[in-house]
Each structure stands twice: as structure tokens, then as C-alpha cells.
Amino acid sequence: MENKESIKNLTPEDLREAVKSCGEPAFRAKQIERWLWRGLAGSFDEMTDLSKGLREKLGQTHNVDALTLDKEIKSSDGSRKFIFNLYDGAKIESVLIPADGLRTLCVSSQCGCALACGFCLTGRRGLIRNLTAGEILDQIILARRALRPDDALTNIVMMGMGEPLMNFDSVAQALKVITGESGMGMSYRRITVSTSGIIRKMGDFGRLGLAKLAVSLNSPDNEIRSQIMPVNKKNPLPDLMAACRRHPLRPRERITFEYVMLDGVNDAESDARALAALVADIPCKINLIPFNEFPGAKYRTPPGDRVDRFRRVLLNNNIDALVRQSRGADISAACGCLGGE
Ligand code: SAH
Ligand code: SF4
């Protein structure tokens, strides 16, 4: 496909301008939005209530899709990995996870990641580039096209490749479409954005108020956290916890803290007690993620009974905690294993 800009990168205001510059009334933009975000249209020709002239003019300057599906891989556990091509040849991945009657799509916000957490395969190759809003949104659109019509997506988590708050503007633009009435119209309650703790953007994200917050905590100890997550050096744990306490929560809303469990590094009962104390005054739940091993990894998965004991300490301290068994391990779709090919 020719390298024109995807129309999905345009904000609603830009789209209205584009329509006007084709000599059409601005309300046509609403029709286009309906085709893009509800109709899942892949070409201007499908937009049959637009004049042929408008369709042709838009097509001269814009593509519809921002991504092409490279391949889809199905896991034996029912999860599905989508590998998408960007127009400059790079690839990104999304994972569809069906569980408990929900269908959750795990979406990427960047191609690669600059933050180089020691336990994460995505971080190994560094940052290739930020995704555009259209590229973030098209992961959702192309996944929905691949689903049966009665199998709508119920939840979206920005927990794929990349650090969403390092690509804040595109992520914010995409969240407006995902939650907007003239976009996909999903409730913010069904959208979660996970950050490794980019403090200077957390305030903006909170004020935006278009998704729930998840924070990858991974250690209650500032030193250890810096060792496993270099991002902690500029975003130290005490400041990160202060930013979490400032984060606005709606009634019954909670922050999710993710905690990758690394054998012998952060999985002791004393770590669990320190973690419980650290988050005691924050409405939250903790997702314990046993480390997913990959070739060349310097960490190991803790034995299952240590994970269970860690969880029990949290529960005994009145902290809600779940063990999240990663899905799609057989297709390299598990947490922290995207983009490793
Ligand atoms: N960059 C953001 C969004 C990606 S979310 C962030 O780090 O929060 C990816 C989640 O998977 C993070 O919670 C991360 O801590 C976790 N993760 C990374 N590598 C992992 C691995 N090898 N095993 C288990 N979880 C991992
Ligand atoms: Fe980047 Fe998140 Fe992976 Fe860390 S865990 S390298 S922040 S994607």
C-alpha cells in the first residue's frame, strides 16, 4: 500500500477540516467517524453514504487503515496474538485474551521500549518509535474485524509493547476515540493503561480521566527497584507512591499494582509485608505476575508455593491480590514477551 497518512490519525477537528477542504459540509466528518470506529470500514469505497467525489478526494491524500495484519497465531489456551505491519516495515503485536466471559485486547503503545527493564523482552531491543494514534486504534479495529460479530471486545489494556506515558499525546488521542460517543463509545471502566511510573505524565493522565491506572511496582524497595527497572532512578519509588496517592479515583475505582515475581529477587515474605505497608493507604488491588522466562533471561520464575505464600501475606494484611497467570506462553504472547522475534 502507498505510504499516505491514515485518516485514523486525524483528530475530529482535523477530520472536519479535511472534509471542508474537499468542499463538503463538516457534518460529513461524523459519518466518516461512524464508518471508521463503528463500521470497521477498511476503504473509502465502503462509506456508501458519502458522495463518490468525496471518497475519491479523501483517497488521494489518505489511507483508511494504519496497519496491515501480518499474521495471527492462536494459543492452545484460547488467546490469540496479532502481528501487525507498520507502514515503515516495523512490526507490533497485540494479544486477545478471552477469560471469564470477557474478551480483553492487550494493545501496544510503542514499537519497542526505551526503558530497558531487566525482566522484559520488549525492552531488549530499545525503542524503535512511538505509535501514532491511528496505529494504536487500528490494533483494536483489526482485532474486532477478526472476531465474530457477536464476540465484541469487552476490555482494553495498554499493557503490550512500550510505555504509554512516554507516548502520551498519541495515547490520549486514542483514548478519546475509544471512549468518545462519536468514537467507539467504550466506558473508561473497561480501559486500563499500565505505566512503569513516569511521574511527570501521571498528573496529565489522571486529569484526562479516560482510563484506569495500573502501575508496575515490582518491588517495595527503592534500591532493588532501580536494579530491575532503570526508570526508577529518575522516578524513585517514594515520589511514585506520592503520585499514586494524588491520582484521582472515582467511587469504587482502584489503582492496579502489577508485581512481576522474580525468584530470589522480590518474592520473600518480607517483601510482601513491605509491599502491604507501602500501599496500605491507597485503594488498590495487586496483580502478581510470575515471571515469564525467555531465552537469555537472567531471572527465574519463583516456585508456585512461594507465589501463594506471598499472596497470602498480602491478603492477611487486607490487600486484595490475585495471581495473574500469563496467557499465550506457547505463542510468545505472555506479559513481557512481545516483540522478541
Ligand atoms: N511499559 C508499561 C506497559 C507494559 S505492561 C509497564 O511496564 O507497565 C507489561 C507488564 O508486564 C508490566 O507490568 C511488566 O512489569 C510486566 N512484565 C514485563 N516483563 C515480564 C515478564 N518477563 N514476565 C512477567 N511479566 C512481565
Ligand atoms: Fe518497557 Fe514496560 Fe517492558 Fe519496562 S516492562 S521495558 S517499561 S514495556
Side-chain angles (χ1 to χ4, degrees):
M1 212 181 291
E2 265 182 275
N3 200 355
K4 299 179 223 166
E5 178 164 40
S6 165
I7 194 137
K8 293 174 197 168
N9 286 333
L10 303 189
T11 63
E13 300 73 44
D14 291 342
L15 184 61
R16 277 203 299 277
E17 286 309 313
V19 166
K20 275 199 265 177
S21 70
C22 295
E24 296 261 348
F27 70 81
R28 298 260 175 241
K30 283 269 175 262
Q31 287 166 266
I32 298 172
E33 287 177 303
R34 208 169 312 126
W35 281 111
L36 294 177
W37 313 127
R38 310 252 175 179
L40 314 181
S43 71
F44 290 112
D45 282 336
E46 287 168 57
M47 305 183 186
T48 45
D49 55 0
L50 303 181
S51 71
K52 194 148 188 289
L54 178 57
R55 283 183 264 158
E56 276 172 5
K57 276 189 203 148
L58 289 172
Q60 281 162 13
T61 46
H62 291 87
N63 285 328
V64 174
D65 285 354
L67 299 175
T68 54
L69 181 60
D70 179 41
K71 56 179 177 256
E72 183 190 333
I73 309 172
K74 289 196 163 90
S75 163
S76 57
D77 66 17
S79 55
R80 295 156 74 172
K81 177 159 88 166
F82 300 98
I83 304 176
F84 297 111
N85 297 309
L86 308 178
Y87 283 114
D88 52 13
K91 291 182 197 296
I92 53 167
E93 303 181 354
S94 314
V95 184
L96 177 76
I97 307 151
D100 311 323
L102 302 177
R103 274 170 306 277
T104 301
L105 188 70
C106 180
V107 170
S108 296
S109 57
Q110 299 181 306
C111 183
C113 181
L115 300 181
C117 300
F119 47 78
C120 176
L121 192 55
T122 304
R124 291 242 159 153
R125 289 189 319 176
L127 177 66
I128 316 287
R129 70 166 169 86
N130 273 335
L131 299 186
T132 65
E135 288 165 341
I136 296 172
L137 291 162
D138 240 5
Q139 297 171 61
I140 302 169
I141 300 288
L142 270 62
R144 281 165 65 194
R145 275 189 209 146
L147 290 173
R148 286 197 305 268
D150 49 343
D151 281 349
L153 286 180
T154 60
N155 294 70
I156 293 175
V157 294
M158 236 177 252
M159 298 185 180
M161 300 163 73
E163 167 50 53
L165 298 193
M166 295 292 273
N167 185 18
F168 185 81
D169 292 347
S170 296
V171 166
Q173 189 183 331
L175 289 174
K176 285 178 192 162
V177 172
I178 295 169
T179 58
E181 254 330 293
S182 51
M184 300 177 188
M186 288 178 76
S187 163
Y188 83 94
R189 269 177 274 112
R190 300 187 168 278
I191 325 289
T192 303
V193 170
S194 174
T195 181
S196 57
I198 309 298
I199 296 169
R200 73 191 149 81
K201 288 291 178 189
M202 286 173 65
D204 290 342
F205 176 75
R207 277 185 291 279
L208 195 64
L210 296 180
K212 295 190 297 181
L213 175 67
V215 176
S216 299
L217 213 45
N218 299 342
S219 170
D221 181 279
N222 195 47
E223 297 278 297
I224 305 274
R225 192 166 190 272
S226 286
Q227 281 167 27
I228 60 178
M229 302 179 74
V231 68
N232 189 66
K233 290 173 194 156
K234 285 199 178 137
N235 298 267
L237 190 58
D239 300 355
L240 175 58
M241 298 317 292
C244 291
R245 290 190 185 92
R246 286 195 298 272
H247 181 73
L249 293 172
R250 280 165 267 211
R252 292 186 309 279
E253 188 182 340
R254 294 184 288 175
I255 296 179
T256 300
F257 290 114
E258 294 147 289
Y259 194 98
V260 183
M261 298 200 63
L262 308 170
D263 186 23
V265 175
N266 63 359
D267 60 347
E269 286 189 38
S270 56
D271 294 314
R273 284 191 295 273
L275 176 61
L278 191 68
V279 303
D281 60 342
I282 300 178
C284 69
K285 58 182 175 215
I286 296 187
N287 276 348
L288 301 172
I289 318 170
F291 175 61
N292 293 307
E293 296 184 4
F294 48 83
K298 54 184 172 189
Y299 300 108
R300 292 282 161 261
T301 313
D305 58 329
R306 195 150 351 118
V307 176
D308 292 338
R309 231 175 310 147
F310 195 98
R311 173 166 181 254
R312 202 130 354 101
V313 172
L314 293 173
L315 296 179
N316 289 341
N317 285 278
N318 294 314
I319 307 290
D320 200 356
L322 275 177
V323 179
R324 190 167 84 196
Q325 289 301 342
S326 287
R327 305 281 297 270
D330 56 337
I331 56 170
S332 298
C335 302
C337 295
L338 294 183
E341 289 177 305

